[in-house]
Amino acid sequence: MKRILAAALAAFMILSSVSLVFAGGLYDETYLRVYDETGLFSDKDLSDLQAYSASCAELYGLDFVLACIEETSYDDSYTMDDFAAELYEAGLYGYGKDRDGAVAVYCPATREVHVKLFGRAQRLIDEDYVAYIEAHAYSDFYEKFGDWGVLYYPLGMIAAECRDNEVTPDSDGLLAKATDTKEAPVMTRPGSEAAAQEPAPQPEPEAPAVAEPASQPATDPAADPAQEAVSSEELPDWYPKDMSKFSFFNDPDAPRVVDDADILSDDEEKAIAERIALLTDHCGKDAVIYTNTSTWGKSRMEVADDFYDYNGYGIGGDREGCCLYVCMDPDTRGFWVSQTGPDAMSLYTESIANTMDDVLYYAFKRAVGGTEGAFAEGILDWLDTVETLYTKGIPYAPAWYPDRNETADRASRFEAQQPYFTGHVCDDAGILTSEERAAYEAQAQQLSDQYGLDVVLHYADSYFEMGAYEYAEAFYEYNGLGLGAERKGILLTVFSKGYVHSAVHYEGISGELMTTVNENRLMNKASDKTIESPQAGTEQFLSDLEHLLRTGRVNKSAFGWTVSGILIAIGGGIYAFFSYMAGLRAMKKPHKKEDANEYVVKNSFRNLGGSAVFLYERTSTHYDPLPKDDGRSSGGSSGGGSSYSSSHTSSSGSSHSGSGRTF
């Protein structure tokens, strides 16, 4: 709370110029709305974005806040959505009494963009359009406009749609968006002649899809858009006639694929059913796929829960398992994943739900766009991630990651199975040539033999649901690395896709070698070089490691030496200046005795004729971003656009968790 209060006060105090007030004093332009903790943007960049945000607020009645953050500012326990919400609240942002507006958060290190809406913006802008913005900001605009373009893109896209739909500070209602653009929209940077004539960037899609009818959002954040209610007689025949007398049961013979919407071929249904049988046999949990063309006035969440409960699905007394429900009604098209049973529900966190929903969302969007077989492909891929989640605890876990029922004791675990890899190089990302692999293997082997420690190089696509260093530590532990009782060794993990850094994990190495300075230099220099290429990072690491083991220290980087030289020069200059001034004061100045009285007031030491001249003053603004508050969790949808429920009770009285999206 102290941190939030301090941040809010800082936001009030930054920029003391005269306020430009809209909506009866409830919007103040002088509060900074563009925050950069990365140092990537110039003062002009920030000024352009700040001015454009203010002009959009005046035109459309929405407050726009932009933030460029470091990767360390969020993780699984404190998401981009949490950061956006806390930033908006602490800064007291928002237009009008309902504090209408939007926050766009961009992390250059991970290339992620997240947009969070507040107040009227949630009604004006549908979640499909937000998902489109998040998916295209980096891929479509980084190459042409750099980081500035990625941060500007969410603001520009929302403002352009507001302009095209003639949104005013008083207008309301859901905007129907055409998100399936085949070509990236054209942006005009503020400050140019074109921008001076047009306050908002103009997306120019090549062939926009026909927008679906807009509808009002349901009161339940997990519910579908509201539909006209229907009577219980119109419900499908799998609903009990008297739901008050329903009792739960298990039906192992019930079909696990029910395609009433007819989006799957017979062969695809058979392949999915066979995949579900393997999942159930391996995990001891059920999986059901249900499609139709109506929700009967209910939410997709309710239909998914009810279909699972009333048809006897689930394994064991807790009826463990999941149901994927796909509704193809054009007015409420979307999906919902229902998780049932305490174990399945606990595994299905909001972060994991958003990650897994991506598989379905983009596959289903391709299917709606005409890609044959995309529905089945998306469902089969999703079932793979479900099995991985149930067996390993995280989706997309690498093959070496142990199952949840395996012992954590390394010695016991590796006695009965083959090692995941042999030697000193494991290239899971497939980025090394045979020549590079052989060269690195030889260097690592030489260091291992000479200094008696296990030197291992590992290349991975990403670190999935784990942190980078958590991933490296897990790889070291679960693959039995290290020599002797102390498990002495060191591991470099290089991430090749979406991450521009490395992670180093070591065990059993003397503290005299791995001082804080040596450790930081070893890791930071490797990470900096990895930005150039994984190979450059590897070669830097091997060179620094050899020097460390031989001399006991890691050399500074070239930048470090440059900074040290500059500091030494500055320090020497300061010392020389004060020494020079001290010498001047000690010197006796020769002057004529008869003229000396002309320069002092009689009987005083006050000097005559001197003056102080004020040359210039430079004022700059700076924002210290809100630090992470560990333990906080998001109360709404997080990155990717999924609605999420950690626990709710269905009409049958059963507990479920789940998530879903429209497509």
Side-chain angles (χ1 to χ4, degrees), residues 1-14:
M1 181 58 70
K2 290 181 179 179
R3 187 188 314 122
I4 296 175
L5 180 60
L9 291 174
F12 275 110
M13 296 175 67
I14 293 173

mmCIF file with all atom_site columns, all heavy atoms in Angstrom, residues 1-14:
data_model
loop_
_atom_site.group_PDB
_atom_site.id
_atom_site.type_symbol
_atom_site.label_atom_id
_atom_site.label_alt_id
_atom_site.label_comp_id
_atom_site.label_asym_id
_atom_site.label_entity_id
_atom_site.label_seq_id
_atom_site.pdbx_PDB_ins_code
_atom_site.Cartn_x
_atom_site.Cartn_y
_atom_site.Cartn_z
_atom_site.occupancy
_atom_site.B_iso_or_equiv
_atom_site.pdbx_formal_charge
_atom_site.auth_seq_id
_atom_site.auth_comp_id
_atom_site.auth_asym_id
_atom_site.auth_atom_id
_atom_site.pdbx_PDB_model_num
ATOM 1   N N   . MET A 1 1  ? 0.826  -1.200 0.000   1.00 0.00 ? 1  MET A N   1
ATOM 2   C CA  . MET A 1 1  ? 0.000  0.000  0.000   1.00 0.00 ? 1  MET A CA  1
ATOM 3   C C   . MET A 1 1  ? 0.865  1.258  0.000   1.00 0.00 ? 1  MET A C   1
ATOM 4   O O   . MET A 1 1  ? 0.574  2.215  -0.699  1.00 0.00 ? 1  MET A O   1
ATOM 5   C CB  . MET A 1 1  ? -0.921 -0.008 1.214   1.00 0.00 ? 1  MET A CB  1
ATOM 6   C CG  . MET A 1 1  ? -1.833 1.213  1.281   1.00 0.00 ? 1  MET A CG  1
ATOM 7   S SD  . MET A 1 1  ? -2.873 1.372  -0.179  1.00 0.00 ? 1  MET A SD  1
ATOM 8   C CE  . MET A 1 1  ? -3.958 -0.015 0.076   1.00 0.00 ? 1  MET A CE  1
ATOM 9   N N   . LYS A 1 2  ? 1.972  1.245  0.755   1.00 0.00 ? 2  LYS A N   1
ATOM 10  C CA  . LYS A 1 2  ? 2.860  2.397  0.775   1.00 0.00 ? 2  LYS A CA  1
ATOM 11  C C   . LYS A 1 2  ? 3.450  2.633  -0.605  1.00 0.00 ? 2  LYS A C   1
ATOM 12  O O   . LYS A 1 2  ? 3.615  3.770  -1.045  1.00 0.00 ? 2  LYS A O   1
ATOM 13  C CB  . LYS A 1 2  ? 3.973  2.182  1.805   1.00 0.00 ? 2  LYS A CB  1
ATOM 14  C CG  . LYS A 1 2  ? 3.488  2.221  3.239   1.00 0.00 ? 2  LYS A CG  1
ATOM 15  C CD  . LYS A 1 2  ? 4.653  2.028  4.193   1.00 0.00 ? 2  LYS A CD  1
ATOM 16  C CE  . LYS A 1 2  ? 4.194  2.085  5.649   1.00 0.00 ? 2  LYS A CE  1
ATOM 17  N NZ  . LYS A 1 2  ? 5.308  1.871  6.582   1.00 0.00 ? 2  LYS A NZ  1
ATOM 18  N N   . ARG A 1 3  ? 3.786  1.528  -1.282  1.00 0.00 ? 3  ARG A N   1
ATOM 19  C CA  . ARG A 1 3  ? 4.362  1.642  -2.595  1.00 0.00 ? 3  ARG A CA  1
ATOM 20  C C   . ARG A 1 3  ? 3.371  2.259  -3.569  1.00 0.00 ? 3  ARG A C   1
ATOM 21  O O   . ARG A 1 3  ? 3.697  3.111  -4.386  1.00 0.00 ? 3  ARG A O   1
ATOM 22  C CB  . ARG A 1 3  ? 4.789  0.266  -3.096  1.00 0.00 ? 3  ARG A CB  1
ATOM 23  C CG  . ARG A 1 3  ? 5.565  0.318  -4.390  1.00 0.00 ? 3  ARG A CG  1
ATOM 24  C CD  . ARG A 1 3  ? 5.801  -1.060 -4.972  1.00 0.00 ? 3  ARG A CD  1
ATOM 25  N NE  . ARG A 1 3  ? 6.242  -1.986 -3.955  1.00 0.00 ? 3  ARG A NE  1
ATOM 26  C CZ  . ARG A 1 3  ? 5.597  -3.097 -3.676  1.00 0.00 ? 3  ARG A CZ  1
ATOM 27  N NH1 . ARG A 1 3  ? 4.511  -3.407 -4.339  1.00 0.00 ? 3  ARG A NH1 1
ATOM 28  N NH2 . ARG A 1 3  ? 6.036  -3.918 -2.738  1.00 0.00 ? 3  ARG A NH2 1
ATOM 29  N N   . ILE A 1 4  ? 2.115  1.801  -3.499  1.00 0.00 ? 4  ILE A N   1
ATOM 30  C CA  . ILE A 1 4  ? 1.082  2.318  -4.385  1.00 0.00 ? 4  ILE A CA  1
ATOM 31  C C   . ILE A 1 4  ? 0.829  3.791  -4.108  1.00 0.00 ? 4  ILE A C   1
ATOM 32  O O   . ILE A 1 4  ? 0.700  4.602  -5.022  1.00 0.00 ? 4  ILE A O   1
ATOM 33  C CB  . ILE A 1 4  ? -0.212 1.507  -4.220  1.00 0.00 ? 4  ILE A CB  1
ATOM 34  C CG1 . ILE A 1 4  ? 0.019  0.057  -4.670  1.00 0.00 ? 4  ILE A CG1 1
ATOM 35  C CG2 . ILE A 1 4  ? -1.346 2.125  -4.999  1.00 0.00 ? 4  ILE A CG2 1
ATOM 36  C CD1 . ILE A 1 4  ? -1.174 -0.832 -4.438  1.00 0.00 ? 4  ILE A CD1 1
ATOM 37  N N   . LEU A 1 5  ? 0.764  4.157  -2.811  1.00 0.00 ? 5  LEU A N   1
ATOM 38  C CA  . LEU A 1 5  ? 0.536  5.557  -2.449  1.00 0.00 ? 5  LEU A CA  1
ATOM 39  C C   . LEU A 1 5  ? 1.669  6.437  -2.950  1.00 0.00 ? 5  LEU A C   1
ATOM 40  O O   . LEU A 1 5  ? 1.442  7.521  -3.484  1.00 0.00 ? 5  LEU A O   1
ATOM 41  C CB  . LEU A 1 5  ? 0.391  5.680  -0.933  1.00 0.00 ? 5  LEU A CB  1
ATOM 42  C CG  . LEU A 1 5  ? 0.142  7.102  -0.394  1.00 0.00 ? 5  LEU A CG  1
ATOM 43  C CD1 . LEU A 1 5  ? -1.134 7.663  -0.980  1.00 0.00 ? 5  LEU A CD1 1
ATOM 44  C CD2 . LEU A 1 5  ? 0.080  7.075  1.122   1.00 0.00 ? 5  LEU A CD2 1
ATOM 45  N N   . ALA A 1 6  ? 2.905  5.957  -2.797  1.00 0.00 ? 6  ALA A N   1
ATOM 46  C CA  . ALA A 1 6  ? 4.053  6.731  -3.254  1.00 0.00 ? 6  ALA A CA  1
ATOM 47  C C   . ALA A 1 6  ? 4.012  6.930  -4.756  1.00 0.00 ? 6  ALA A C   1
ATOM 48  O O   . ALA A 1 6  ? 4.300  8.014  -5.271  1.00 0.00 ? 6  ALA A O   1
ATOM 49  C CB  . ALA A 1 6  ? 5.352  6.030  -2.848  1.00 0.00 ? 6  ALA A CB  1
ATOM 50  N N   . ALA A 1 7  ? 3.638  5.873  -5.478  1.00 0.00 ? 7  ALA A N   1
ATOM 51  C CA  . ALA A 1 7  ? 3.555  5.971  -6.934  1.00 0.00 ? 7  ALA A CA  1
ATOM 52  C C   . ALA A 1 7  ? 2.464  6.958  -7.348  1.00 0.00 ? 7  ALA A C   1
ATOM 53  O O   . ALA A 1 7  ? 2.618  7.721  -8.296  1.00 0.00 ? 7  ALA A O   1
ATOM 54  C CB  . ALA A 1 7  ? 3.293  4.597  -7.544  1.00 0.00 ? 7  ALA A CB  1
ATOM 55  N N   . ALA A 1 8  ? 1.332  6.913  -6.633  1.00 0.00 ? 8  ALA A N   1
ATOM 56  C CA  . ALA A 1 8  ? 0.236  7.828  -6.947  1.00 0.00 ? 8  ALA A CA  1
ATOM 57  C C   . ALA A 1 8  ? 0.647  9.277  -6.711  1.00 0.00 ? 8  ALA A C   1
ATOM 58  O O   . ALA A 1 8  ? 0.353  10.161 -7.514  1.00 0.00 ? 8  ALA A O   1
ATOM 59  C CB  . ALA A 1 8  ? -0.984 7.465  -6.108  1.00 0.00 ? 8  ALA A CB  1
ATOM 60  N N   . LEU A 1 9  ? 1.326  9.526  -5.589  1.00 0.00 ? 9  LEU A N   1
ATOM 61  C CA  . LEU A 1 9  ? 1.790  10.881 -5.306  1.00 0.00 ? 9  LEU A CA  1
ATOM 62  C C   . LEU A 1 9  ? 2.788  11.340 -6.348  1.00 0.00 ? 9  LEU A C   1
ATOM 63  O O   . LEU A 1 9  ? 2.771  12.500 -6.777  1.00 0.00 ? 9  LEU A O   1
ATOM 64  C CB  . LEU A 1 9  ? 2.417  10.928 -3.904  1.00 0.00 ? 9  LEU A CB  1
ATOM 65  C CG  . LEU A 1 9  ? 1.432  10.761 -2.737  1.00 0.00 ? 9  LEU A CG  1
ATOM 66  C CD1 . LEU A 1 9  ? 2.195  10.686 -1.426  1.00 0.00 ? 9  LEU A CD1 1
ATOM 67  C CD2 . LEU A 1 9  ? 0.440  11.916 -2.704  1.00 0.00 ? 9  LEU A CD2 1
ATOM 68  N N   . ALA A 1 10 ? 3.663  10.436 -6.773  1.00 0.00 ? 10 ALA A N   1
ATOM 69  C CA  . ALA A 1 10 ? 4.629  10.784 -7.806  1.00 0.00 ? 10 ALA A CA  1
ATOM 70  C C   . ALA A 1 10 ? 3.923  11.157 -9.095  1.00 0.00 ? 10 ALA A C   1
ATOM 71  O O   . ALA A 1 10 ? 4.299  12.109 -9.787  1.00 0.00 ? 10 ALA A O   1
ATOM 72  C CB  . ALA A 1 10 ? 5.583  9.617  -8.048  1.00 0.00 ? 10 ALA A CB  1
ATOM 73  N N   . ALA A 1 11 ? 2.874  10.399 -9.424  1.00 0.00 ? 11 ALA A N   1
ATOM 74  C CA  . ALA A 1 11 ? 2.117  10.692 -10.646 1.00 0.00 ? 11 ALA A CA  1
ATOM 75  C C   . ALA A 1 11 ? 1.469  12.067 -10.573 1.00 0.00 ? 11 ALA A C   1
ATOM 76  O O   . ALA A 1 11 ? 1.386  12.778 -11.568 1.00 0.00 ? 11 ALA A O   1
ATOM 77  C CB  . ALA A 1 11 ? 1.064  9.613  -10.878 1.00 0.00 ? 11 ALA A CB  1
ATOM 78  N N   . PHE A 1 12 ? 0.989  12.448 -9.363  1.00 0.00 ? 12 PHE A N   1
ATOM 79  C CA  . PHE A 1 12 ? 0.381  13.771 -9.204  1.00 0.00 ? 12 PHE A CA  1
ATOM 80  C C   . PHE A 1 12 ? 1.409  14.888 -9.350  1.00 0.00 ? 12 PHE A C   1
ATOM 81  O O   . PHE A 1 12 ? 1.113  15.962 -9.871  1.00 0.00 ? 12 PHE A O   1
ATOM 82  C CB  . PHE A 1 12 ? -0.275 13.876 -7.825  1.00 0.00 ? 12 PHE A CB  1
ATOM 83  C CG  . PHE A 1 12 ? -1.666 13.343 -7.780  1.00 0.00 ? 12 PHE A CG  1
ATOM 84  C CD1 . PHE A 1 12 ? -1.951 12.170 -7.097  1.00 0.00 ? 12 PHE A CD1 1
ATOM 85  C CD2 . PHE A 1 12 ? -2.696 14.007 -8.424  1.00 0.00 ? 12 PHE A CD2 1
ATOM 86  C CE1 . PHE A 1 12 ? -3.239 11.677 -7.053  1.00 0.00 ? 12 PHE A CE1 1
ATOM 87  C CE2 . PHE A 1 12 ? -3.987 13.521 -8.380  1.00 0.00 ? 12 PHE A CE2 1
ATOM 88  C CZ  . PHE A 1 12 ? -4.253 12.357 -7.699  1.00 0.00 ? 12 PHE A CZ  1
ATOM 89  N N   . MET A 1 13 ? 2.621  14.635 -8.893  1.00 0.00 ? 13 MET A N   1
ATOM 90  C CA  . MET A 1 13 ? 3.618  15.692 -8.837  1.00 0.00 ? 13 MET A CA  1
ATOM 91  C C   . MET A 1 13 ? 4.378  15.867 -10.148 1.00 0.00 ? 13 MET A C   1
ATOM 92  O O   . MET A 1 13 ? 4.917  16.940 -10.413 1.00 0.00 ? 13 MET A O   1
ATOM 93  C CB  . MET A 1 13 ? 4.605  15.405 -7.706  1.00 0.00 ? 13 MET A CB  1
ATOM 94  C CG  . MET A 1 13 ? 3.948  15.436 -6.327  1.00 0.00 ? 13 MET A CG  1
ATOM 95  S SD  . MET A 1 13 ? 5.080  14.964 -5.018  1.00 0.00 ? 13 MET A SD  1
ATOM 96  C CE  . MET A 1 13 ? 6.217  16.333 -5.075  1.00 0.00 ? 13 MET A CE  1
ATOM 97  N N   . ILE A 1 14 ? 4.438  14.802 -10.965 1.00 0.00 ? 14 ILE A N   1
ATOM 98  C CA  . ILE A 1 14 ? 5.177  14.893 -12.216 1.00 0.00 ? 14 ILE A CA  1
ATOM 99  C C   . ILE A 1 14 ? 4.507  15.906 -13.132 1.00 0.00 ? 14 ILE A C   1
ATOM 100 O O   . ILE A 1 14 ? 3.300  15.867 -13.330 1.00 0.00 ? 14 ILE A O   1
ATOM 101 C CB  . ILE A 1 14 ? 5.257  13.523 -12.897 1.00 0.00 ? 14 ILE A CB  1
ATOM 102 C CG1 . ILE A 1 14 ? 6.113  12.571 -12.051 1.00 0.00 ? 14 ILE A CG1 1
ATOM 103 C CG2 . ILE A 1 14 ? 5.834  13.621 -14.298 1.00 0.00 ? 14 ILE A CG2 1
ATOM 104 C CD1 . ILE A 1 14 ? 6.107  11.160 -12.551 1.00 0.00 ? 14 ILE A CD1 1
#
